[in-house]
């Protein structure tokens, strides 16, 4: 189980949104590279980054901030937001991103995911963000008529590294992870699933480490880390101790 600290980029700054609403953004750090460095120093082993402006624009917007992070830290980075073309996938991987996350294009253009995953094995993840079980696209501005499971099953044999499943209703609100839906998804597919949206406290981390959640590959923590509700040292120690046992 990997705990991914999240950096969401808007206008070159590190922010957190509530339920994906760009109008409800809280700025937590003006310097994303410094924030990334802080997470690395705290002992996190993998960073989760989203270019929020890119998700709306359909192309990378905060590339400068991402590149500054890559120069600053040594830990791997997974990046989503505005990745809609194979050339964009290739460009980010060449710049040092470990894993790209394809969201909107996974719904609109599943062939992109399949060809990217085939060309770059283990380096392509799919981001599925759900509102009432249906997948939202275009930076969550639109809700499709397709369920998360329907989309996930499309990529069952494509070589996708992970599915990142976000419950939009909980995102940024510290209501706790939607583990029921996340575990149900993980049980229905063979692709590793990462939980996202609402992680609020050490109780969520403990729940991720129980036997029923054993198929989950990790969880993403955002606001809880920024406002001090989740102590990184306690969380990471708990995860390491569980791995050893």
């Amino acid at each position: 189980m990997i705990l991914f600290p999240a950096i969401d980029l808007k206008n070159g700054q590190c922010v957190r949104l509530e339920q994906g609403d760009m109008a409800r953004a809280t700025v937590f750090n003006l310097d994303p590279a410094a924030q990334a460095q802080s997470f690395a120093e705290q002992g996190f082993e993998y960073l989760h980054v989203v270019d929020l402006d890119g998700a709306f624009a359909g192309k990378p917007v905060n590339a400068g901030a991402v590149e500054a992070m890559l120069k600053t830290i040594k830990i791997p980075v997974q990046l989503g937001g505005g990745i809609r073309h194979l050339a964009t996938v290739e460009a980010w991987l060449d710049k040092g991103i470990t894993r790209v996350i394809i969201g909107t294009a996974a719904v609109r253009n599943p062939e992109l995911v399949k060809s990217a995953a085939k060309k770059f094995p283990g380096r392509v993840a799919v981001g599925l963000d759900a509102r009432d079980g249906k997948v939202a696209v275009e930076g969550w501005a639109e809700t499709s008529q397709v369920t998360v499971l329907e989309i996930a099953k499309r990529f069952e044999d494509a070589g996708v590294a992970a599915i990142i499943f976000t419950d939009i209703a909980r995102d940024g609100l510290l209501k706790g992870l939607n583990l029921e839906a996340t575990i149900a998804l993980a049980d229905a597919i063979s692709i590793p699933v990462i939980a996202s949206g609402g992680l609020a406290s050490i109780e969520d981390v403990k729940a991720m480490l129980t036997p029923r959640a054993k198929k989950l590959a990790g969880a993403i923590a955002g606001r809880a880390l920024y406002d001090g509700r989740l102590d990184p040292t306690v969380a990471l120690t708990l995860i390491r101790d569980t791995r050893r046992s």
Side-chain angles (χ1 to χ4, degrees):
M1 208 285 273
I2 296 173
L3 187 64
F4 297 82
I7 291 182
D8 287 356
L9 299 169
K10 181 175 186 274
N11 302 327
Q13 300 171 337
C14 178
V15 307
R16 294 304 295 163
L17 304 186
E18 290 180 17
Q19 296 182 311
D21 185 345
M22 289 289 256
R24 293 154 72 193
T26 307
V27 177
F28 280 104
N29 199 323
L30 299 176
D31 184 347
Q35 184 63 60
Q37 178 72 31
S38 172
F39 283 142
E41 287 168 358
Q42 285 165 12
F44 287 99
E45 56 192 307
Y46 212 128
L47 183 64
H48 174 81
V49 179
V50 178
D51 179 352
L52 293 171
D53 299 303
F56 282 92
K59 60 178 194 275
V61 175
N62 287 289
V66 176
E67 286 164 23
M69 280 189 251
L70 291 171
K71 286 194 183 84
T72 306
I73 60 171
K74 297 284 187 284
I75 60 171
V77 177
Q78 63 180 20
L79 171 73
I83 299 172
R84 312 272 168 93
H85 304 282
L86 196 57
T88 312
V89 171
E90 201 154 354
W92 277 127
L93 296 178
D94 284 347
K95 282 178 178 170
I97 290 294
T98 302
R99 185 156 74 189
V100 295
I101 304 160
I102 299 175
T104 294
V107 181
R108 301 256 200 261
N109 180 14
E111 288 309 312
L112 168 65
V113 174
K114 291 174 183 175
S115 42
K118 188 176 178 184
K119 190 170 183 184
F120 306 106
R123 302 190 69 186
V124 177
V126 169
L128 296 181
D129 310 320
R131 190 181 278 116
D132 301 323
K134 298 281 177 32
V135 177
V137 293
E138 307 291 347
W140 300 354
E142 294 175 31
T143 306
S144 71
Q145 293 308 305
V146 207
T147 68
V148 169
L149 185 57
E150 283 174 280
I151 300 275
K153 280 193 173 295
R154 287 180 189 171
F155 305 117
E156 195 69 287
D157 301 314
V160 166
I163 299 275
I164 297 160
F165 171 63
T166 305
D167 182 343
I168 295 171
R170 293 168 185 250
D171 194 63
L173 297 184
L174 299 163
K175 287 182 173 179
L177 291 166
N178 185 346
L179 273 188
E180 296 306 320
T182 312
I183 291 169
L185 177 64
D187 285 342
I189 58 174
S190 59
I191 308 166
V193 175
I194 296 167
S196 170
L199 193 146
S201 69
I202 195 69
E203 296 309 315
D204 279 309
V205 178
K206 286 176 183 171
M208 289 286 301
L209 297 169
T210 57
R212 76 188 186 106
K214 67 180 183 296
K215 283 190 76 176
L216 300 185
I220 292 166
R223 190 176 286 267
L225 286 171
Y226 289 100
D227 67 10
R229 287 168 200 248
L230 182 65
D231 182 320
T233 307
V234 173
L236 293 170
T237 302
L238 182 65
I239 292 166
R240 275 195 292 272
D241 290 349
T242 307
R243 276 182 195 161
R244 284 197 199 100
S245 62

